[in-house]
Amino acid sequence: MTPSIPSRKSFASLQSLAVWPISKEKRALLTEANQKCTGNPLMYNGKLCASTTKYADGNKGACGCGPADNNDQFEWNHSGFVAAANQALFDAGEASWCGESCGKCVKLTTTGGFVDGQGQATADGQSRIFMITNLCPNEAPNLSWCSQQGSVGVNQYGYGAHFDLENGANQISGMGWDNPEVTWEWTDCDGGHLEYSSTPNDDMYKTCQCGQTENEYKTMHISLY
């Protein structure tokens, strides 16, 4: 991957990604599953729904949340509540580095549902706040989860958003989350950190390569590449 330096888009533009119609064929598939979310787009308790998985690869990710001279993770990016977002949510312009959602936080709340054969039921109403620090690209082996195209696409299971949750320190499996269906909404990272100490705050994100000012990041980019 060759990182680029995309322009930072407004927070308002991120919210424009929050409408995903679902085809009749995909809605039919969902009727046989254990998802609690319904409608078009999929919603639960009046909020948009998303699918989740978990991963642990030891890399700092597409927001550069690790040392500038290697690909290691900062400790909080390894053991905290952080997530990789599907491409359409990570950056509408399809940037694979420093996407517009880097450093933004989402509140995920379990619905009690899950995708058949891909997880297990988790109690309804469990909320955690995650910072986006990585990309779940629209490529193998992520195609069933992160293949949403543009602002109206859905994945194989009918969800317009997907969050791959960092589990490097078993912080996700330790909560008993096994790929639960969730609702999601944008929220404040600093407030999230006060509520959940494992949620990174804005100052922590500023230590990431993509959290630096443009001039500082250009210096890092030149020195690395």
Side-chain angles (χ1 to χ4, degrees):
M1 177 179 68
T2 302
S4 59
I5 308 173
S7 61
R8 301 287 293 189
K9 299 183 181 178
S10 68
F11 183 81
S13 72
L14 297 176
Q15 296 187 331
S16 68
L17 298 175
V19 178
W20 299 281
I22 299 171
S23 69
K24 291 180 180 179
E25 291 79 8
K26 287 181 176 176
R27 283 201 300 274
L29 289 174
L30 293 177
T31 62
E32 300 177 1
N34 281 308
Q35 286 105 315
K36 304 295 184 183
C37 299
T38 59
N40 183 13
L42 287 177
M43 299 186 77
Y44 184 78
N45 288 341
K47 296 179 180 178
L48 289 165
C49 291
S51 50
T52 69
T53 47
K54 56 185 181 291
Y55 78 106
D57 64 7
N59 297 323
K60 62 186 174 185
C63 299
C65 294
D69 59 353
N70 60 55
N71 201 32
D72 295 339
Q73 296 170 301
F74 290 140
E75 176 56 33
W76 60 263
N77 193 32
H78 170 77
S79 60
F81 291 157
V82 298
N86 62 284
Q87 177 69 75
L89 187 62
F90 181 78
D91 190 87
E94 300 188 357
S96 60
W97 177 258
C98 291
E100 61 188 346
S101 290
C102 281
K104 302 294 191 296
C105 284
V106 291
K107 182 177 183 180
L108 306 184
T109 302
T110 56
T111 67
F114 63 98
V115 174
D116 283 349
Q118 301 296 333
Q120 297 183 16
T122 303
D124 184 6
Q126 297 183 19
S127 296
R128 296 293 186 274
I129 295 174
F130 293 82
M131 178 181 283
I132 295 173
T133 63
N134 204 356
L135 164 67
C136 182
N138 180 18
E139 59 186 41
N142 308 310
L143 292 175
S144 60
W145 299 106
C146 298
S147 57
Q148 298 88 341
Q149 294 288 326
S151 62
V152 296
V154 295
N155 64 18
Q156 177 178 326
Y157 306 108
Y159 298 97
H162 180 79
F163 300 97
D164 200 10
L165 309 179
E166 172 65 53
N167 194 42
N170 295 317
Q171 63 268 42
I172 304 304
S173 54
M175 296 191 297
W177 284 28
D178 185 7
N179 300 350
E181 176 186 69
V182 297
T183 62
W184 75 277
E185 55 193 307
W186 297 109
T187 193
D188 176 67
C189 295
D190 285 343
H193 182 72
L194 292 175
E195 188 172 359
Y196 307 103
S197 60
S198 293
T199 301
N201 59 25
D202 290 339
D203 284 341
M204 296 165 77
Y205 175 66
K206 290 176 183 176
T207 64
C208 301
Q209 288 171 264
C210 299
Q212 307 293 319
T213 64
E214 184 173 357
N215 286 338
E216 288 173 330
Y217 176 67
K218 283 181 179 178
T219 300
M220 290 182 183
H221 180 81
I222 292 170
S223 67
L224 281 171
Y225 302 98

